[in-house]
Amino acid sequence: MFQEFLLKKLIKSKLGNVPDEEIGRIIKIVKENPSLFQKVATEIEQKVKGGQDQMSAATEVMRKYEGELKNLQ
C-alpha cells in the first residue's frame, strides 16, 4: 500500500498532469510485470552510469523491449 502511494507520487512528479485513472493503470501493469520493469530500469541505470544521458538510454532500452511492452494491458 505504501509502496503504491510512493509509486503514484513518483509518476506524478515525472509525468506531470497524468489523470489518476491512467496512473492506476500504469501501477497495475508494473505490479503484474515487475521483472520486466526491473530489467528495463537496471539496463537504463547501467547505460546512464556508462555516460549516456538518461533520455537516450531510456529510449534505447524501451526500443529493445518494445514488443514485450506493447503486449501489456
Side-chain angles (χ1 to χ4, degrees):
M1 190 75 173
F2 183 69
Q3 189 176 22
E4 189 172 318
F5 171 77
L6 291 177
L7 189 54
K8 280 184 182 180
K9 289 291 186 186
L10 176 66
I11 292 169
K12 281 194 180 259
S13 74
K14 296 292 182 183
L15 300 180
N17 293 332
V18 176
D20 286 342
E21 302 84 37
E22 191 66 21
I23 291 173
R25 188 172 150 263
I26 292 168
I27 291 171
K28 180 181 176 218
I29 290 171
V30 171
K31 286 172 79 174
E32 289 176 355
N33 305 281
S35 62
L36 173 61
F37 287 96
Q38 183 62 48
K39 279 195 298 191
V40 168
T42 301
E43 287 187 34
I44 292 172
E45 186 178 329
Q46 288 172 348
K47 290 183 180 297
V48 169
K49 285 181 180 178
Q52 197 171 359
D53 69 277
Q54 188 167 4
M55 183 60 80
S56 62
T59 302
E60 185 178 324
V61 173
M62 293 302 230
R63 283 191 182 134
K64 178 180 176 182
Y65 293 100
E66 185 175 11
E68 291 175 66
L69 293 168
K70 281 184 179 181
N71 291 328
L72 301 178
Q73 294 294 333

